[in-house]
Amino acid sequence: MAALPSGTDAPVDISPAADLDAETLARLFTAGYEGYWFHIELDAVAFSRMATVSDADLTLSRVASVDGEPVAIVLLARRGSEGWVGGMGVAAPHRRRGIGRAVLTNTLEAARDAGIERVTLEVLEQNHPARELYEGLGFEHVRDLEVWSLPNGPGEPREVDAARAHAWLRARREDPEPWQRDDASVAHLEEVRGLMVDSAAALVRIAGGRVGVLQLAGQPDALRELLTGARALGESLVVVNLPAGHPASAILEALGGSLDGRQHELELRFS
Ligand SMILES: CC(C)(COP(=O)(O)OP(=O)(O)OC[C@H]1O[C@@H](n2cnc3c(N)ncnc32)[C@H](O)[C@@H]1OP(=O)(O)O)[C@@H](O)C(=O)NCCC(=O)NCCS
């Protein structure tokens, strides 16, 4: 049994997520995000896909149970000495009883014991409960990340071999990519397409008519041409977790895009 702060009325058992099947974990993840700013509903297939793409480690991820019923989850992904919280949630009736802090603390201890030196995560700027929790545990601000969308419009996508665009991006990238769009995530994805103009390149993936931009870099004029072409590939274009101040922000705004959300990237260093 994990020790919980006073005021908690039920004993909580914390165990590795690997002890549960994907269907139970998907249900728990969905319940943990009840009342969130956008709807999150996963089935076993979607949960497993998400876990694979992010390199989730279910032996380090943790589930909290009350009276034998799972009520909270922290999904921890690992790449070498780097860890990433790929989501956490406490089922609504069990919130504000210390369970979120207990299950996250237990996960972080497991991560540190396994040799992870730094854990990062992203949190919506308006998610004050989660921000309080993370900051209380010592997480510190790294940078702001933006979520942009752009409706379809006329443009000429210049497609190239994805490997060629990726090599160009790798050679020129100045800032680390956020976890979900980093090279290791991209390597797990199918049907990644490359776009290139003279001095800009992007990797995109089209799903459900939506062009998801995975990575992009380049000079402003070339980036504008690149994004104008990319938006023509689908009904809309989305860039998730674009670092604030990236030259693409101003271009997306000028093209009529909307800033749909802002996240804080936080980190906790163990050493
Ligand atoms: C964020 C969340 C996980 C917190 O879980 P929880 O079990 O309610 O949190 P705890 O009871 O352990 O609280 C720990 C600390 O978090 C902060 N906190 C939690 N809920 C809060 C709230 N509603 N308002 C302000 N601070 C809050 C406080 O600092 C609290 O410490 P305190 O009780 O000493 O004041 C929970 O609200 C949740 O599941 N939300 C929906 C999913 C989500 O937003 N996940 C995070 C995605 S980044």
Side-chain angles (χ1 to χ4, degrees), residues 118-134:
R118 185 177 88 118
V119 173
T120 56
L121 56 81
E122 296 102 31
V123 58
L124 286 171
E125 70 172 358
Q126 68 269 36
N127 192 347
H128 292 288
R131 284 178 58 189
E132 293 278 330
L133 169 61
Y134 301 144

Side-chain angles (χ1 to χ4, degrees), residues 5 31-37 72 85 87-92 94-102 121-124 127-134 136 263:
Y33 276 87
E34 188 187 331
Y36 197 62
W37 284 266
V85 176
M88 79 164 287
V90 178
H94 297 273
R95 289 180 191 159
R96 296 248 65 178
R97 295 161 65 194
I99 294 175
R101 184 192 283 120
L121 56 81
E122 296 102 31
V123 58
L124 286 171
N127 192 347
H128 292 288
R131 284 178 58 189
E132 293 278 330
L133 169 61
Y134 301 144
Q263 303 217 85

Side-chain angles (χ1 to χ4, degrees), residues 11-76:
V12 174
D13 181 43
I14 298 179
S15 53
D19 292 353
L20 299 176
D21 60 33
E23 199 178 326
T24 307
L25 295 174
R27 221 180 306 122
L28 181 57
F29 201 90
T30 301
Y33 276 87
E34 188 187 331
Y36 197 62
W37 284 266
F38 51 91
H39 186 66
I40 295 183
E41 186 168 358
L42 299 179
D43 60 14
V45 173
F47 178 87
S48 299
R49 194 183 308 124
M50 178 180 79
T52 299
V53 171
S54 65
D55 291 305
D57 184 332
L58 297 183
T59 65
L60 297 178
S61 303
R62 290 289 182 265
V63 162
S65 302
V66 173
D67 293 333
E69 184 204 342
V71 299
I73 183 167
V74 177
L75 197 62
L76 189 94

